[in-house]
Amino acid sequence: MPFFALLFMMLLSVPARIIAQQLPAPERPKLIVGIVIDQMRWDYLYRYAERYTQNGFRRLVNQGFSCENTFISYTPTYTAAGHAGIYTGSVPAIHGIVGNNWYERKLGRNVYCTDDSTVITVGSGSDAGKMSPRNMMTTTIGDELRLASNYESKVIGIALKDRGSILPAGHSANAAYWFDDATGGWVSSSYYMKELPKWVMQFNHKKLPDQILNTNWNTLFPIDTYTQSSADARSYENNLPGEDNGFPHITSTIKNNKYLSFRYTPSANTFTFEMAKAAVEGEELGLRNATDLLAVSLSSTDYIGHEFGPNSIEVEDTYLRLDKDIGDFISYLDRKIGRSGYLLFLSADHGVAHVPAFLKEKGVPAGVLDDEVIRELLEKTIAGQFGIRPVLKVINYQVYLDHNKLDVPGKDKDIITETIISTLLSRNEIANAYRLDRPAMINLPEKIRDRLINGYNQKRSGDIQFIYKPGYFDGGDKGTTHGTWNPYDSHIPLLWFGWKIKPGKTNREVYMADIAPTITAMLKIQMPNGCMGNVIEEVTR
């Protein structure tokens, strides 16, 4: 018998138990928990640290692993794109979620990121559940986990915002739940189920939002001890919907749209964590033979942050309360799953800018310019010079053009486009403007250029991108927002805790898109199918 044939026969005779010893089954945690805090700037980890408890943020930082320089690698930095980016390991150019809304040329209208007219609400008679993940073009961590376990793993998404629940959960999730302003309860979509599980109906029956609203919102500590904030009720702050006071915020008397107002209270974060605990109990997450995933997004931080801004007492009080909620939730997981049984990460979908009026008080350049003002300026200029109105929409710091009006005899598309760019640049608030279909012509520092390219999806993005000066954004006279490339919008926290996580930190620059491949590497499963990130090796060692 030839030597190689003999060798082959010998290999075939090796006992299966020996092979099994050489290729052990991968170790995996019982439960993966993703906590995404909507609108959390990285500096909030340390700004309020003196008053954080030992069990919340401080425990995650001291006993977990912190990636101190985590950035978003695309623009615009909005909620839907951030939640999709964390769980897909990708960018809008690939996963297709280019904003919370975008203009869809083939439909001739704006599209919301999770809109789906083919499904209906489950758990309410409202339209709040006509949503699904179908607009997202790639898989998520949860999708890959389900595939890897032959659909034995359970994946659940929970958030007040539909987009904060649906996009993290992915296409093949067992369920996603979000808050319905019409009923004050959790709803879902027929995309996932025909009726709410019994445990969700029982949770809704408690009517916790009504109980919380009746208690009003006062500061956790004496208001004069909030030294990291400006004075209360500044003229450039908004009010809670349906209420016109500073502290204490009297929510018990709100009658109209009271559940909308509930979203703007820090207790809505507590309510979200209570729903997350109910999901663990009701679905037995982390208590079965397969690894499960629970994606939790805290949305109230975003509602409150938009209204009052980073230097407000409201934001400081919200994070002091959120710290206690996080500590309580981690302690619950310790008791229910065991610290060595769950892998937890905490991050954010974006940061936020200071209120421009506040910055100007302090001598810092800042300002706002509304998209509608830009659109009217472009319409007037182009109509006056060329006799056409080619601007379809100004949204996401982009201008969408009607190509049918530009691609006609007698009209020079390039000249009209350059006129639009020069008109944009005539505004003091705008620093740069570029054609998105010519990335080689974007004359910007590499980091900013790459973020524009990563955010550009040929089918869904606009034609021209404009960039505000630092401290400026699309908005009004009160409150604040986010969406730009600047560090205040793109520098986010990233903490790891639990299963196989050793205490430490890295100041190496990493990116939002690195979260998904790091988790899938630890689980030894395939990364999402549009993933562009890299494994954060400091976490996996």
Side-chain angles (χ1 to χ4, degrees), residues 369-419:
L369 176 62
D370 189 80
D371 278 351
E372 186 58 23
V373 173
I374 295 176
R375 190 195 64 78
E376 291 175 357
L377 172 64
L378 296 178
E379 286 278 275
K380 181 179 178 180
T381 301
I382 302 305
Q385 292 189 35
F386 302 98
I388 59 173
R389 296 180 180 274
V391 177
L392 293 170
K393 192 73 178 178
V394 178
I395 188 174
N396 299 333
Y397 301 100
Q398 296 173 358
V399 180
Y400 287 74
L401 300 177
D402 187 337
H403 298 163
N404 292 327
K405 291 183 178 179
L406 294 174
D407 296 329
V408 295
K411 304 295 181 185
D412 191 315
K413 179 178 179 179
D414 288 338
I415 291 177
I416 295 172
T417 301
E418 289 305 316
T419 302

Side-chain angles (χ1 to χ4, degrees), residues 110-145:
N110 271 15
V111 168
Y112 178 64
C113 56
T114 54
D115 268 347
D116 189 344
S117 61
T118 69
V119 298
I120 61 173
T121 307
V122 174
S124 167
S126 74
D127 289 336
K130 300 182 74 171
M131 307 284 170
S132 84
R134 288 191 172 112
N135 287 329
M136 186 165 60
M137 298 175 178
T138 61
T139 62
T140 62
I141 302 167
D143 290 324
E144 296 299 334
L145 181 61

Side-chain angles (χ1 to χ4, degrees), residues 54-55 57-66 330 334 339 496-498 501-504:
Q54 295 296 327
N55 299 321
F57 288 118
R58 189 174 293 185
R59 183 180 179 197
L60 293 178
V61 171
N62 293 338
Q63 298 180 26
F65 192 93
S66 180
I330 295 172
D334 287 345
R339 178 174 171 178
W496 303 85
F497 185 81
I501 299 298
K502 298 176 182 178

Side-chain angles (χ1 to χ4, degrees), residues 193-218:
M193 63 191 71
K194 293 182 180 179
E195 62 180 11
L196 293 179
K198 184 178 179 180
W199 66 266
V200 178
M201 291 190 284
Q202 290 173 339
F203 189 89
N204 284 341
H205 186 69
K206 296 178 182 178
K207 290 290 183 182
L208 293 178
D210 295 84
Q211 298 176 36
I212 292 169
L213 286 168
N214 285 334
T215 63
N216 300 321
W217 174 18
N218 206 348

